[in-house]
Amino acid sequence: MTKLYLAIPCYNEEEVLWDSAEKLLDKYNDLMNAHKISEDSRIVFIDDGSQDATWEIIENLHSQTPIFQGIKLSRNRGHQNALLAGLMTLKDKADAVISIDADLQDDINAIDKMLEEYEKGCDVVYGVRSKRETDTFFKRFTAEGFYKILNKMGAKVIFNHADFRLMSRRALRAFSQYKETNIFLRGMVPMIGYRSAIVKYERAERLAGESKYPLKKMLALAWEGVTSLSIQPIRMITWLGLFIFLVSLIMIIYSVISFFVGATVSGWTSTLCSIWALGGLQLLAIGIIGEYIGKIYLETKRRPRFIIERYLSDN
Ligand code: UDP
Ligand code: MG
């Protein structure tokens, strides 16, 4: 029987947490009664520095039954870091950890299939959305475009897979060796290797409350995905630089010939164009390179990626 831990990052989720906890506990009991998970399995909430009553609810749940555990981060560090905190805390306790969002938009019934794949010997099982009917057109369009761009940029991500996945203890231990600060979990997990599988499910609407991922955070995540996984943008600049250099060689030959032919007074337009074009391009290039230098700067600091303030646990 599998000792399963569920890791659930929560940020200001007081509106859904009671509901979610109840549903998760039902699922837990079903799985237990079906002898699919062992009785020392746990449901662990990671409070990502919420300002509302989220932590009080978690404490309350923990006092009701030790099946619920809580990890409190010292402040808001974002979804990816909260999830990482959970995974790294639980990696030596569980046989397998499944991560899922607190709003239960991801279908918890997919957990059964994930466990089956795990029993068959898979170390990573990705939950993949089959449809996005409940998402707004805008969210669907931006999200699917995001996966496509990422893959074009050379970062291998699983299409339509967010952070609903099962990882075995072996996979988590391997993952703990990735010490970087800029993390984009769904792009990093495939790097581990091992056998993996996909489980499809339909994504529902949020149980209650509002999305904690406004457009700004979504764009930040997308940018993080590209720049922390791939050096393709820098390579593109190199190719662009080479191309422009070749064009400028032709331009030099052209202007020298023009000089000897004696038609050099005009040319104001081309001068102005090249000043603008090159100036703009250089700025863009410097900006993108700066982005990577910024990352190197952060990596060299080796700051802790999260700090756990408390861990409510019975074991
Ligand atoms: N979340 C978090 N820290 C944050 C923002 C979000 O831990 O700073 C959690 C949130 O509580 C939820 C998950 O990340 O469990 C996904 O957020 P949400 O459901 O709001 O995103 P969406 O489904 O709208 O993309
Ligand atoms: Mg959600």
Side-chain angles (χ1 to χ4, degrees):
M1 255 188 289
T2 311
K3 183 177 177 188
L4 179 73
Y5 272 58
L6 294 180
I8 304 137
C10 311
Y11 177 58
N12 292 344
E13 297 284 11
E14 63 181 6
E15 280 169 281
V16 299
L17 211 51
W18 286 114
D19 266 6
S20 297
E22 194 184 315
K23 292 212 165 76
L24 288 167
L25 193 60
D26 285 348
K27 187 78 214 167
Y28 175 96
N29 287 327
D30 288 351
L31 289 169
M32 267 258 294
N33 295 333
H35 301 291
K36 286 185 180 160
I37 59 173
S38 65
E39 59 190 76
D40 48 1
S41 299
R42 292 289 176 265
I43 301 170
V44 188
F45 297 103
I46 302 114
D47 176 19
D48 185 17
S50 300
Q51 287 103 35
D52 65 359
T54 299
W55 181 247
E56 283 73 48
I57 298 173
I58 295 171
E59 280 180 321
N60 201 315
L61 288 166
H62 177 68
S63 64
Q64 283 174 21
T65 159
I67 292 171
F68 289 118
Q69 299 190 342
I71 294 173
K72 182 176 164 62
L73 299 194
S74 57
R75 69 181 174 96
N76 183 238
R77 295 286 290 129
H79 178 208
Q80 299 287 299
N81 283 300
L83 195 51
L84 183 75
L87 296 178
M88 291 303 104
T89 311
L90 306 176
K91 72 176 194 299
D92 296 316
K93 297 183 165 235
D95 294 333
V97 179
I98 292 181
S99 50
I100 185 166
D101 289 349
D103 54 3
L104 298 192
Q105 282 187 284
D106 306 309
D107 184 8
I108 49 174
N109 295 315
I111 292 176
D112 296 73
K113 278 191 249 157
M114 288 182 163
L115 283 169
E116 274 167 34
E117 295 293 344
Y118 168 75
E119 301 282 350
K120 282 189 216 156
C122 287
D123 282 281
V124 185
V125 186
Y126 301 100
V128 169
R129 283 164 221 182
S130 53
K131 287 187 229 156
R132 278 181 176 269
E133 276 171 1
T134 53
D135 281 355
T136 60
F137 171 76
F138 179 72
K139 178 109 187 177
R140 191 163 65 211
F141 181 77
T142 49
E144 293 193 342
F146 166 57
Y147 289 106
K148 284 180 188 145
I149 291 172
L150 265 184
N151 276 318
K152 284 248 158 31
M153 289 283 186
K156 292 285 161 269
V157 289
I158 312 277
F159 192 69
N160 268 343
H161 159 71
D163 283 308
F164 181 31
R165 79 176 83 76
L166 177 145
M167 289 175 79
S168 70
R169 182 193 307 205
R170 186 165 73 145
L172 286 169
R173 284 196 176 152
F175 191 68
S176 68
Q177 294 172 46
Y178 288 71
K179 299 285 185 203
E180 61 221 66
T181 312
N182 299 291
I183 50 165
F184 182 65
L185 295 175
R186 67 192 82 161
M188 290 161 69
V189 173
M191 291 180 193
I192 303 173
Y194 293 140
R195 200 172 129 191
S196 67
I198 279 173
V199 164
K200 293 213 169 178
Y201 67 94
E202 275 176 43
R203 189 160 153 101
E205 270 176 81
R206 209 171 218 288
L207 281 181
E210 284 179 354
S211 172
K212 308 296 180 287
Y213 257 102
L215 184 63
K216 204 173 140 207
K217 272 193 187 172
M218 247 164 63
L219 289 176
L221 183 73
W223 184 241
E224 190 68 43
V226 174
T227 54
S228 70
L229 290 173
S230 126
I231 56 159
Q232 204 63 27
I234 297 185
R235 204 156 288 155
M236 276 157 52
I237 293 172
T238 315
W239 284 111
L240 196 65
L242 194 68
F243 174 72
I244 295 205
F245 176 66
L246 292 177
V247 172
S248 74
L249 283 183
I250 297 168
M251 288 305 285
I252 289 168
I253 295 168
Y254 166 76
S255 36
V256 169
I257 291 174
S258 306
F259 177 77
F260 284 114
V261 170
T264 44
V265 183
S266 64
W268 178 82
T269 320
S270 58
T271 313
L272 214 65
C273 285
S274 37
I275 289 173
W276 280 97
L278 284 175
L281 210 70
Q282 280 166 344
L283 276 182
L284 176 73
I286 292 169
I288 296 183
I289 292 169
E291 180 73 23
Y292 284 92
I293 293 177
K295 287 203 184 297
I296 295 168
Y297 165 73
L298 287 175
E299 295 290 351
T300 52
K301 280 187 191 289
R302 293 241 150 265
R303 284 177 177 153
R305 293 169 295 175
F306 52 82
I307 295 168
I308 290 168
E309 190 174 308
R310 285 186 65 193
Y311 179 25
L312 297 179
S313 157
D314 59 324
N315 52 15

